Amino acid sequence: MDTAFALQLLVNGLMIGAVYALIASGLSLTFGVIGIVNFAHGELYMVFAMLAYFVAGYLETPFSLSIALVMLTALCVGAVLYEVLLRRLAGKDFERSVLGTMGLAMVLQNGAIFLFTTTPRMVPHTLSYSAYTFGSVAVPALKLLAAALATAALGLVWWMLHHTQLGRAMRGLAQSHDAAMMVGIDVRAVSRLAVAIGVGLAGLAGAALAPVYSIHPTMGFAFIFKAFAIVTIGGLGNFGGTIIAALMIGMLESFAGTLGSLVMADTLSFAFMILILLFKPEGLFGRGVRI
């Protein structure tokens, strides 16, 4: 393999990993703060991709404005989701949260099939067939844009978690709800905001990737399983570990999918997850500390 080809695969892997990190990090943040694995996260990503299709395709809203509108809607949906469902499941039996969020996922998926059918749709964009060239490396313009948005959003959340009072409150809540309450942290408000940010990241992913991948009601199913593999490898609830694991999976898929087959790429990703579960069940970066 020559250097230029290897560099192309590396860049492709990093872009895939950035997209995976954007989807999986919302799942990780939600679990890290309130301790619930949101099985509806993939379907929320699907719903916001469809909303982006409606806003950009039917209303002909500029792409940048449609991303902002979808993400703002996602933040509001996240806050409502916490108050209506997740708050009532937090701290209860694990089975209740699994069944509750899986039920929501089925409602969203089948509701989308009823309303929009299973016909795939695409959001048209002037850059759909454009690519930028950096030396010997060619990068599709829309994938580069999605990766840049993912990097900016994840960097902003990382900065918030480590350099703001709100972030310190979320990290404290992740360690112990009782201790957080004793030092005066508003558990309900901080949890609501954490869920809103997690769903907001799913909304950003849905809007940013709407012109890249076809949109259909079952699209969230594939992404949520990949997201679960990533957060398992990185350490469930570990925000930084999730990002690193997503980049690792992205590069693994890029090299395996090109040098082997696309089927082999998925096989290796989930085989890697099984090995982690067997030999390091807390994840590569688990450390027993969430976010």
Side-chain angles (χ1 to χ4, degrees):
M1 183 190 307
D2 60 40
T3 305
F5 186 53
L7 187 59
Q8 178 72 60
L9 295 182
L10 179 65
V11 171
N12 291 347
L14 289 175
M15 288 194 298
I16 295 170
V19 169
Y20 285 164
L22 184 59
I23 298 172
S25 58
L27 189 68
S28 182
L29 182 65
T30 301
F31 177 81
V33 174
I34 67 173
I36 288 179
V37 179
N38 182 11
F39 283 84
H41 195 73
E43 270 59 42
L44 288 168
Y45 158 70
M46 173 273 294
V47 166
F48 295 124
M50 288 199 162
L51 179 61
Y53 171 78
F54 177 76
V55 173
Y58 276 90
L59 303 182
E60 298 183 352
T61 306
F63 185 57
S64 56
L65 181 58
S66 67
I67 289 178
L69 289 174
V70 171
M71 192 169 177
L72 182 61
T73 303
L75 289 168
C76 296
V77 169
V80 173
L81 176 64
Y82 173 76
E83 290 293 338
V84 173
L85 179 64
L86 299 186
R87 183 173 68 85
R88 304 168 194 276
L89 297 175
K92 303 293 193 303
D93 296 337
F94 181 72
E95 292 82 358
R96 288 184 63 183
S97 65
V98 171
L99 293 173
T101 54
M102 285 187 72
L104 176 61
M106 291 299 102
V107 168
L108 293 175
Q109 185 181 100
N110 288 288
I113 291 173
F114 176 75
L115 293 173
F116 302 104
T117 74
T118 56
T119 303
R121 295 170 171 82
M122 288 291 294
V123 173
H125 197 285
T126 54
L127 295 176
S128 293
Y129 302 102
S130 301
Y132 297 114
T133 302
F134 304 95
S136 60
V137 177
V139 182
L142 288 177
K143 286 188 176 179
L144 181 62
L145 175 62
L149 288 172
T151 303
L154 294 173
L156 185 61
V157 174
W158 177 268
W159 177 83
M160 182 273 293
L161 286 173
H162 292 86
H163 298 285
T164 68
Q165 193 67 28
L166 174 62
R168 283 188 279 272
M170 287 185 183
R171 293 167 63 197
L173 194 54
Q175 305 312 311
S176 170
H177 279 219
D178 293 337
M181 292 176 67
M182 289 178 63
V183 297
I185 292 175
D186 187 337
V187 172
R188 183 171 175 175
V190 173
S191 299
R192 181 172 59 237
L193 193 52
V195 174
I197 293 172
V199 176
L201 291 173
L204 176 60
L209 296 175
V212 178
Y213 300 111
S214 62
I215 301 169
H216 52 85
T218 57
M219 61 186 286
F221 186 77
F223 274 103
I224 195 62
F225 273 96
K226 193 61 65 67
F228 280 133
I230 289 168
V231 298
T232 301
I233 293 169
L236 195 58
N238 188 319
F239 190 80
T242 297
I243 295 173
I244 296 172
L247 295 176
M248 292 170 63
I249 291 296
M251 286 189 281
L252 178 66
E253 290 192 358
S254 176
F255 280 87
T258 304
L259 302 178
S261 69
L262 291 176
V263 175
M264 184 60 69
D266 277 343
T267 302
L268 289 176
S269 298
F270 287 103
F272 189 24
M273 181 194 73
I274 292 171
L275 288 175
I276 293 296
L277 286 173
L278 289 174
F279 298 106
K280 198 169 175 50
E282 73 276 17
L284 290 178
F285 309 96
R287 305 195 305 273
V289 176
R290 300 201 300 244
I291 70 172

